[in-house]
Amino acid sequence: MANSTTAHAHDDHDHKPHGIKRWLYATNHKDIGTMYLVFACAMFFMGGAMALVIRAELFQPGLQFVDPGFFNSMTTMHALLMIFGAVMPAWTGLANWMVPMQVGAPDMALPRLNNFSFWLLPFAFTLLLLTLFVPGGAPAGGWTLYPPLSLQAGDSFPLTIFAIHLMGISSILGAINVVVTILNMRAPGMGLLNMPLFCWTWLITAYLLIAVMPVLAGAVTMLLTDHFFGTSFFTASGGGDPVMFQHIFWFFGHPEVYILILPAFGVVSEIIPTFARKPLFGYESMVYATASIAFLSFIVWAHHMFTVGMPLAGQLFFMLSTMLIAVPTGVKVFNWCATMWKGSISFETPMLFALAFLFLFTLGGFSGLMLAIVPADFQYHDSYFVVAHFHYVLVPGAVFAIMAGVYYWLPKWSGRMYNEKVGKLHFWLSTIGVNVLFFPQHFLGLAGMPRRIPDYSTQFADWNMVSSIGAFIFGFSQLLFVYVVWNAVRSGEKAPARPWEGAHGLEWELPTPAPYHSWDTPPPRNVITQGAMH
Amino acid sequence: MANAHTNDHPADKYYVPHESPWPIYGSATLFVFMIGLCGWLNEWYGPWIFAVGVLMLVGLFVGWFAVVIGEHQRGMYNMQVDKSFRMGMMWFIFSEVMFFAAFFGALFYARQLSVPWIGGEGVKFLNGLLLWQDYSPAWPTNGPEALGPRDDGSFETIPAFGLPAINTAILLLSGVTITIAHHALKEGNRRILNIFLAATFLLGFLFLGLQAEEYIHAYTELGLTLSTGIYGSTFFMLTGFHGMHVTLGAIMLLVIWFRTMKGHFTPQRHFGFEAVAWYWHFVDVVWLGLFVFVYWV
Amino acid sequence: MTKAIRRVPSVLALSAAAFASLSAHAEWGNLNMPVGVTELSKEIHSLHMTIFWWCVAIGVFVFGWMIWSLVAFRKSQGAKPDTTMVHSTKAEIIWTVIPVGILVIMAIPAARTLIAIEDMRGSEISIKATGYQWKWQYEYLGEDVSFFSQLDRQSDEARQLKSGVDPNSVQDYLLNVDNPMVVPEDTKIRMLLTGQDVIHAWWVPAFGMKKDAIPGTINELWFKVDAGKTGIYRGQCAELCGRDHGFMPVVVKVVTKEEYKAWLAAQKAAASPAPAEAPADAPAADAVAALPAAPRG
Ligand code: HEA
Ligand code: HEA
Ligand code: CUA
Ligand SMILES: [Cu+2]
């Protein structure tokens, strides 16, 4: 390394770029993390606005507002925006902020790549949202894009496919960055089993991402060639099979849902010990449980396809493997319970959200288990029971955990406290709203209401009305969230370096707000062992 | 692991680049590229925007890599940065493997399950009775409606032990030559390095030439095209994506050849070289899979 | 236990109805899966209730544990944390093994029911249902009876955007068709499902059965309505199939065996003046009607 002066020139400490270039040309993990989070929030509101269109139309029977085709577009776009635009980028944003701070690194391992993976997203979603304005309208075949229906799309078709390609590239590059940061950038003395669980769950998530996003890319590429270039992957007359798409899609799709939830497990595993003032119970078993869930997630995909007419042996296999996932997930739930047992618990907003996660995710897990029972799934499948299941694991599951994480780390990021009163109000409105919104959907599904319909028989009217009311309560409560964060960042009280009495971990050893370059010099060993107390 | 634990040796610190225009330029490039493709496929306009995207893409690679190579040459990357690059490359290659896995999965699924099922084998015997009465499933197939360019629905396949076997030999040989080049680099023998690196990409281009020949033969004489049912679909998608990767790999080999000619890389530090070598091996291994499962068995 | 189970929905419904007196048409009672009118649907229902109660039991335990902790170990009540309590292999083993045990207990009846569901042997009538965008076609195999079945006129008018027709004024809004499928009670009916254009799914909740109707392949399901359960049973297409996916109901009229014979004769008589309509695959269809089910593997 001959030329050390050049390197030095780039090393000055809190050199913070200013103006628009700071964001466009960013290489700093915190700036990029912030952009990810802001982007995710914007997409959450857009996807949420679409959900409100859905719920408004379903408020009562009869078609009041939208054409059925547009309704299907709303369903499809809502899901794509929420999953790929809101939840996944929010997790990557949190990883960007927290992973370097938690492992004692100066930044992410590949900072320019990091910015690349972020900036792909606004472009990807521009492509996707453009479909709302092209002839034939936005994609309306469901987020699962099953052919032959998805092949009937109009001009939106290639836009959707390429938007998914871009999102995929973004996720893969983001995941590579996380893996490399965790494996290569840990401060000396920090072993893998000293890492906070958020890093562990993200490491495993990143592997899932790298393994399955390319498979999704392959699947949609085959759709593209079937549509434009005469291939017959999914057409029986040429020897293909529409069901083959479903297999490939769900080989991606099932691990995908764990991509959405594993980092949530990590966040909750940080928050509960903090507010129970007690180390996480069974740290190692938590790591192994996460890894088992990830492993199992590769061999359960066809539980989304029990009604496609698989041979009996296949149905049995996928039923049993799916049921098995309850075991490692149960280990996690029990460990969280044991963490709270004999603790000293206080109920600040992050803890409240984590607790709601604990209750409501478990509830969603139970309905997942019910769905795994094949004969019963013949009834549940493609009904609102499924919609209820996955919103329980996604909204009070993933989304609540993201919010818990934001409340938890916001003081460290911004140096300021949020308003606890408004935070709690946001929590209660959200928790009540989300249950009013999604619990009745169990009843609707069991009573026989199919999903993805813009209008329904009058027997379903009552619970749909309740659900829609819940949707508006929940939706508009989220404006409070924006207000709380905005208000804290602008004019919150100054936060101490360790705003939470029970917080452990390297991030709390940094001053508040965290310096622009996190650990320019790695933390000393005693800080690491002290920080990684579990 | 080399670590950045002291302030006294800034050169040993992890290099965190400051603002860079390349990422956002790159994102915009892919956007132009793809919207160009969309508009072209939708027949909104010709391929012009797409062409702009391609040009921008070339600019992206040239520009961004130039920056990275420059930084590397100026010694701004310590061993830890080097390791990040290596790990990044490995996981990138893994993602590529999974991309191919999707297409191999399609091939196996079609061959082992959907084709026999369409033909009414096993549990799906009703398909044969009610839907596709006259279809007897066998691989290769272009489906019960015998999709393809020929009027009689027939097509021929490319025997494994003709061109494909030669191509296999070529790629395997290129795997050897790049390994020789790598050893030469590590021993500081630049002449051998240059020669064998050149041999590697020449073999790569030779492979591509033969592959193109094979495609022309398939399209003009064998009735084997992308739209020749499931066989044509899996055949061209697998070999086509592989061919695209070989093209990319060969270009990258060419680039590092120019770099070695300029004296880049040291026996200890040559991430760029290794990354390309790994990529080349990956392309090689995928080909072996293709040779066995697409052409041979 | 089953009696208590059946009572739960009504209890819940009562309490729900109590605060819902605002609503004119109270359907608050629809909280649970209907029990159904076939042996299988009853088995499925009891399976559903069994898992449900297992989940309730586990839920009482874990939620109880959580709530207990939250109440008993509040900091505001002066709780002191026991920071030595960090690990217990014994506990981990217990809460791994017990759930596995519970899952095994759940899996056994599930597998048993599933095997019964997949047993197509001994069916007496075979009906091929083909999903179209957006209607069903029913062909009574071997009987030369075939007709389309789509949303009835009244619902269709009311369901138009801003039609101004109150859905509550329409009899069986969205769940009524022009020509229902007709089957006899106490008879094993085999449905052969396929799709013409895109994937649909045939679902009648009261029969406990749902299966996809996929273009290019035939799926099967069977049901046997209990004797004495004649009547009209309604369901809907359950796979997104485009714009009017919400508007292609499945309606089955279950009649006595004599009524069925009469109905069939009338259908044939109505069809015979136009024999040209006979489906091309009629001979094969005859074969199916007579054929035993394939072994399931
Ligand atoms: C974050 C996302 C997420 C998560 C975590 C899960 C978790 C699970 N899901 Fe879910 N699922 C989705 C998102 C998710 N799902 C989505 C989006 C869909 C629909 C996609 C679409 O069609 O559009 C779906 C659909 C879906 C189906 C298909 C339904 C159908 O279409 O017919 C099935 C079927 O098996 C299923 C099962 C499960 C199971 C068994 C789990 C398990 O992981 C749950 C495990 C957890 C618990 C069981 C609770 C805690 C455990 C204990 C307290 C221990 C003791 C418990 C027992 C022994 C029972 N899910
Ligand atoms: C992480 C994923 C995620 C999240 C967070 C959500 C959140 C919500 N979802 Fe969704 N949903 C899915 C994933 C998700 N969903 C998926 C995968 C499907 C399946 C799609 C398919 O079938 O293909 C689905 C389908 C789906 C359906 C079924 C549609 C159908 O079958 O036709 C419904 C219906 O109620 C619904 C409702 C909602 C609601 C009300 C919310 C609420 O939580 C939203 C909260 C609302 C807001 C946050 C709105 C805030 C907006 C304002 C306050 C207005 C102001 C506006 C601006 C400032 C712009 N979703
Ligand atoms: Cu047919 Cu949905
Ligand atoms: Cu799943």
Side-chain angles (χ1 to χ4, degrees):
Chain A
M1 271 143 288
N3 217 335
S4 67
T5 45
T6 351
H8 197 206
H10 286 263
D11 252 347
D12 45 344
H13 268 222
D14 255 33
H15 162 88
K16 215 188 246 182
H18 289 286
I20 185 78
K21 276 193 186 169
R22 169 170 178 195
W23 306 104
L24 295 184
Y25 295 177
T27 47
N28 178 280
H29 72 102
K30 299 195 179 72
D31 287 348
I32 296 173
T34 305
M35 290 196 291
Y36 262 113
L37 290 171
V38 170
F39 176 80
C41 188
M43 287 297 128
F44 178 65
F45 274 87
M46 245 183 254
M50 291 175 181
L52 295 186
V53 172
I54 295 173
R55 286 309 334 163
E57 182 56 66
L58 294 177
F59 184 73
Q60 45 171 300
L63 282 177
Q64 289 83 26
F65 304 111
V66 297
D67 170 84
F70 185 73
F71 181 93
N72 292 343
S73 293
M74 285 292 105
T75 299
T76 308
M77 296 287 277
H78 157 68
L80 291 173
L81 256 61
M82 284 300 197
I83 290 180
F84 295 98
V87 175
M88 289 169 71
W91 286 133
T92 316
L94 280 169
N96 253 295
W97 261 100
M98 298 320 299
V99 167
M101 279 159 75
Q102 290 190 327
V103 301
D107 204 296
M108 295 289 277
L110 304 161
R112 278 183 294 234
L113 195 70
N114 200 13
N115 198 31
F116 188 37
S117 47
F118 169 73
W119 276 108
L120 282 171
L121 286 177
F123 288 108
F125 282 87
T126 307
L127 267 186
L128 187 63
L129 289 166
L130 269 179
T131 60
L132 287 163
F133 309 102
V134 302
W143 81 285
T144 50
L145 303 167
Y146 284 5
L149 181 64
S150 62
L151 299 174
Q152 290 182 349
D155 283 3
S156 67
F157 185 78
L159 291 136
T160 315
I161 302 291
F162 288 127
I164 290 172
H165 278 132
L166 286 185
M167 294 169 204
I169 299 172
S170 160
S171 303
I172 292 167
L173 299 182
I176 289 177
N177 228 326
V178 172
V179 171
V180 177
T181 306
I182 291 178
L183 294 185
N184 193 33
M185 304 283 285
R186 269 170 297 126
M190 174 169 271
L192 279 175
L193 285 175
N194 292 330
M195 283 196 310
L197 261 169
F198 181 66
C199 292
W200 257 114
T201 52
W202 234 113
L203 179 64
I204 293 169
T205 303
Y207 284 136
L208 290 181
L209 276 166
I210 301 172
V212 301
M213 292 308 294
V215 175
L216 175 66
V220 297
T221 304
M222 288 183 241
L223 283 182
L224 188 83
T225 58
D226 267 17
H227 188 95
F228 286 110
F229 303 112
T231 56
S232 30
F233 287 106
F234 310 129
T235 316
S237 55
D241 184 355
V243 175
M244 177 159 88
F245 176 84
Q246 302 184 16
H247 281 289
I248 304 174
F249 179 87
W250 288 115
F251 183 82
F252 145 81
H254 187 81
E256 168 68 19
V257 307
Y258 292 105
I259 287 166
L260 301 173
I261 206 70
L262 291 186
F265 293 164
V267 168
V268 169
S269 302
E270 310 261 318
I271 291 176
I272 288 182
T274 296
F275 295 95
R277 291 166 182 75
K278 197 167 150 274
L280 183 68
F281 190 82
Y283 172 89
E284 286 191 29
S285 68
M286 287 298 232
V287 172
Y288 299 136
T290 312
S292 318
I293 294 173
F295 169 74
L296 286 172
S297 76
F298 284 110
I299 54 166
V300 302
W301 75 88
H303 65 218
H304 296 272
M305 309 163 49
F306 284 141
T307 62
V308 300
M310 269 183 292
L312 178 61
Q315 300 190 32
L316 280 173
F317 171 79
F318 286 108
M319 171 171 87
L320 296 175
S321 59
T322 303
M323 292 172 78
L324 267 188
I325 298 195
V327 176
T329 317
V331 168
K332 303 198 77 103
V333 171
F334 296 133
N335 277 322
W336 288 321
C337 289
T339 305
M340 297 193 299
W341 187 256
K342 293 195 179 169
S344 169
I345 302 172
S346 59
F347 299 90
E348 287 85 347
T349 310
M351 181 63 164
L352 289 175
F353 273 101
L355 290 173
F357 171 93
L358 201 50
F359 277 85
L360 300 177
F361 169 78
T362 305
L363 205 86
F366 288 150
S367 58
L369 191 80
M370 295 174 78
L371 291 167
I373 308 292
V374 185
D377 185 65
F378 287 157
Q379 286 283 34
Y380 309 138
H381 178 70
D382 263 333
S383 77
Y384 260 79
F385 192 79
V386 178
V387 178
H389 156 65
F390 67 72
H391 281 99
Y392 262 92
V393 282
L394 285 169
V395 184
V399 172
F400 272 29
I402 291 166
M403 289 176 173
V406 171
Y407 279 111
Y408 183 58
W409 283 307
L410 188 65
K412 179 56 68 183
W413 300 341
S414 66
R416 292 170 188 275
M417 282 311 273
Y418 61 88
N419 182 327
E420 190 67 54
K421 273 214 182 88
V422 188
K424 287 206 165 101
L425 180 67
H426 170 228
F427 167 77
W428 285 109
L429 282 173
S430 298
T431 302
I432 294 167
V434 87
N435 283 295
V436 176
L437 163 54
F438 293 121
F439 206 81
Q441 296 186 356
H442 292 111
F443 306 147
L444 289 170
L446 292 175
M449 177 168 160
R451 59 192 281 205
R452 296 165 164 175
I453 57 174
D455 192 7
Y456 47 80
S457 169
T458 49
Q459 58 176 314
F460 305 125
D462 299 317
W463 290 117
N464 266 305
M465 189 178 288
V466 174
S467 177
S468 292
I469 292 170
F472 281 87
I473 298 175
F474 179 78
F476 282 92
S477 320
Q478 302 321 310
L479 294 174
L480 271 182
F481 178 63
V482 177
Y483 167 77
V484 180
V485 173
W486 181 255
N487 193 42
V489 173
R490 294 305 296 275
S491 54
E493 270 174 50
K494 287 257 181 298
R498 189 190 300 273
W500 316 117
E501 187 189 12
H504 290 281
L506 279 182
E507 72 264 36
W508 306 109
E509 309 294 332
L510 286 166
T512 290
Y516 195 62
H517 292 288
S518 300
W519 293 100
D520 227 5
T521 41
R525 263 164 211 271
N526 63 328
V527 175
I528 291 175
T529 39
Q530 199 189 330
M533 202 190 96
H534 47 243
Chain B
M1 204 197 293
N3 285 302
H5 40 73
T6 46
N7 253 335
D8 333 349
H9 298 291
D12 199 34
K13 279 184 72 156
Y14 199 86
Y15 173 66
V16 177
H18 282 300
E19 308 91 282
S20 165
W22 290 108
I24 189 162
Y25 169 77
S27 311
T29 299
L30 289 184
F31 180 75
V32 173
F33 183 87
M34 284 182 168
I35 196 110
L37 213 49
C38 291
W40 189 15
L41 288 170
N42 277 338
E43 295 170 6
W44 293 341
Y45 38 69
W48 310 119
I49 298 190
F50 174 65
V52 173
V54 173
L55 285 181
M56 286 175 73
L57 204 59
V58 174
L60 172 70
F61 281 116
V62 173
W64 194 340
F65 284 149
V67 172
V68 177
I69 292 167
E71 286 170 354
H72 179 84
Q73 292 306 109
R74 274 175 277 137
M76 282 149 81
Y77 298 161
N78 62 17
M79 287 315 277
Q80 199 186 358
V81 177
D82 196 68
K83 192 165 176 195
S84 289
F85 282 151
R86 284 153 189 273
M87 291 172 109
M89 189 65 195
M90 296 245 201
W91 289 106
F92 173 70
I93 289 177
F94 175 60
S95 78
E96 291 266 43
V97 169
M98 292 309 291
F99 182 73
F100 276 97
F103 292 95
F104 273 109
L107 172 66
F108 297 145
Y109 185 89
R111 228 181 128 156
Q112 300 301 323
L113 298 172
S114 62
V115 167
W117 280 345
I118 291 169
E121 283 182 9
V123 295
K124 303 281 181 177
F125 76 109
L126 288 166
N127 288 342
L129 280 174
L130 288 177
L131 292 177
W132 314 106
Q133 281 99 340
D134 309 317
Y135 179 59
S136 46
W139 193 262
T141 179
N142 51 355
E145 289 185 2
L147 303 183
R150 289 186 183 165
D151 289 337
D152 65 351
S154 67
F155 71 100
E156 291 153 66
T157 61
I158 290 160
F161 291 95
L163 260 191
I166 296 173
N167 262 345
T168 308
I170 290 174
L171 274 194
L172 285 178
L173 189 61
S174 77
V176 175
T177 53
I178 193 148
T179 306
I180 294 174
H182 193 188
H183 280 288
L185 172 55
K186 282 204 252 185
E187 283 153 18
N189 189 338
R190 311 288 298 195
R191 210 175 66 86
I192 300 285
L193 166 64
N194 289 339
I195 291 172
F196 277 84
L197 198 51
T200 311
F201 71 72
L202 287 176
L203 286 167
F205 286 120
L206 179 61
F207 171 92
L208 285 170
L210 293 177
Q211 190 81 354
E213 162 113 12
E214 181 182 293
Y215 274 19
I216 292 168
H217 179 56
Y219 262 78
T220 53
E221 286 152 49
L222 301 181
L224 178 59
T225 70
L226 252 185
S227 42
T228 305
I230 188 68
Y231 185 85
S233 306
T234 49
F235 177 85
F236 280 105
M237 291 293 268
L238 275 161
T239 55
F241 272 117
H242 176 262
M244 278 159 67
H245 283 77
V246 175
T247 312
L248 203 69
I251 293 174
M252 295 196 307
L253 284 168
L254 193 62
V255 171
I256 57 165
W257 184 68
F258 282 124
R259 289 185 63 192
T260 59
M261 300 292 271
K262 280 179 77 178
H264 288 188
F265 306 125
T266 66
Q268 295 78 31
R269 297 285 303 275
H270 44 260
F271 163 72
F273 182 96
E274 276 189 314
V276 175
W278 289 339
Y279 197 80
W280 196 248
H281 287 308
F282 148 71
V283 167
D284 221 0
V285 171
V286 171
W287 175 261
L288 289 181
L290 288 182
F291 181 68
V292 174
F293 294 110
V294 175
Y295 291 97
W296 190 4
V297 297
Chain C
M1 184 162 108
T2 37
K3 224 179 196 169
I5 295 169
R6 290 223 188 93
R7 213 170 288 141
V8 168
S10 33
V11 172
L12 284 176
L14 270 181
S15 36
F19 79 90
S21 42
L22 304 159
S23 173
H25 44 93
E27 298 277 1
W28 305 100
N30 288 333
L31 297 180
N32 202 354
M33 186 188 284
V35 177
V37 293
T38 66
E39 208 46 54
L40 282 183
S41 70
K42 283 180 208 153
E43 261 182 59
I44 288 173
H45 182 269
S46 86
L47 200 54
H48 158 72
M49 290 319 293
T50 314
I51 330 156
F52 172 71
W53 285 116
W54 270 113
C55 289
V56 169
I58 301 167
V60 166
F61 171 70
V62 282
F63 295 145
W65 187 1
M66 288 175 200
I67 292 168
W68 185 295
S69 313
L70 294 179
V71 173
F73 306 112
R74 276 172 295 169
K75 177 163 191 271
S76 59
Q77 301 299 303
K80 292 274 171 297
D82 174 3
T83 50
T84 59
M85 194 191 128
V86 290
H87 174 71
S88 158
T89 309
K90 209 202 265 167
E92 304 287 350
I93 290 175
I94 292 174
W95 60 53
T96 307
V97 171
I98 293 181
V100 171
I102 296 175
L103 293 176
V104 172
I105 297 173
M106 289 179 186
I108 291 169
R112 206 184 299 126
T113 307
L114 184 60
I115 290 167
I117 288 173
E118 293 293 327
D119 184 356
M120 305 288 158
R121 283 171 302 180
S123 65
E124 294 154 78
I125 297 175
S126 294
I127 303 173
K128 182 176 167 208
T130 308
Y132 288 76
Q133 285 171 318
W134 290 271
K135 58 188 174 238
W136 292 98
Q137 181 188 21
Y138 297 108
E139 292 167 69
Y140 287 66
L141 296 186
E143 303 286 1
D144 276 3
V145 171
S146 152
F147 54 88
F148 284 95
S149 171
Q150 62 186 5
L151 189 67
D152 71 314
R153 282 265 298 284
Q154 250 198 318
S155 291
D156 200 46
E157 276 158 23
R159 65 107 174 167
Q160 300 302 325
L161 183 57
K162 302 194 177 107
S163 68
V165 184
D166 179 6
N168 290 303
S169 70
V170 180
Q171 179 77 34
D172 293 308
Y173 178 58
L174 297 187
L175 294 180
N176 211 3
V177 292
D178 49 4
N179 303 309
M181 179 177 123
V182 178
V183 294
E185 61 181 336
D186 198 23
T187 307
K188 185 162 181 174
I189 315 283
R190 177 156 64 150
M191 299 292 303
L192 310 180
L193 302 165
T194 186
Q196 176 62 33
D197 31 42
V198 300
I199 305 177
H200 305 261
W202 195 86
W203 180 27
V204 179
F207 301 166
M209 264 313 124
K210 174 188 294 133
K211 204 120 267 170
D212 291 358
I214 302 170
T217 197
I218 302 253
N219 272 332
E220 299 173 85
L221 64 81
W222 69 268
F223 61 89
K224 181 175 180 179
V225 177
D226 293 348
K229 292 286 183 188
T230 54
I232 294 182
Y233 297 99
R234 299 172 195 280
Q236 279 173 275
C237 175
E239 178 63 56
L240 179 58
C241 53
R243 198 172 168 278
D244 287 350
H245 157 64
F247 310 103
M248 54 181 290
V250 176
V251 179
V252 181
K253 190 172 167 192
V254 180
V255 297
T256 62
K257 292 185 181 179
E258 294 71 42
E259 285 169 328
Y260 175 71
K261 278 202 191 97
W263 175 83
L264 202 61
Q267 290 292 313
K268 282 185 188 170
S272 53
E277 269 281 4
D281 52 7
D286 278 332
V288 176
L291 211 88
R296 291 263 133 194

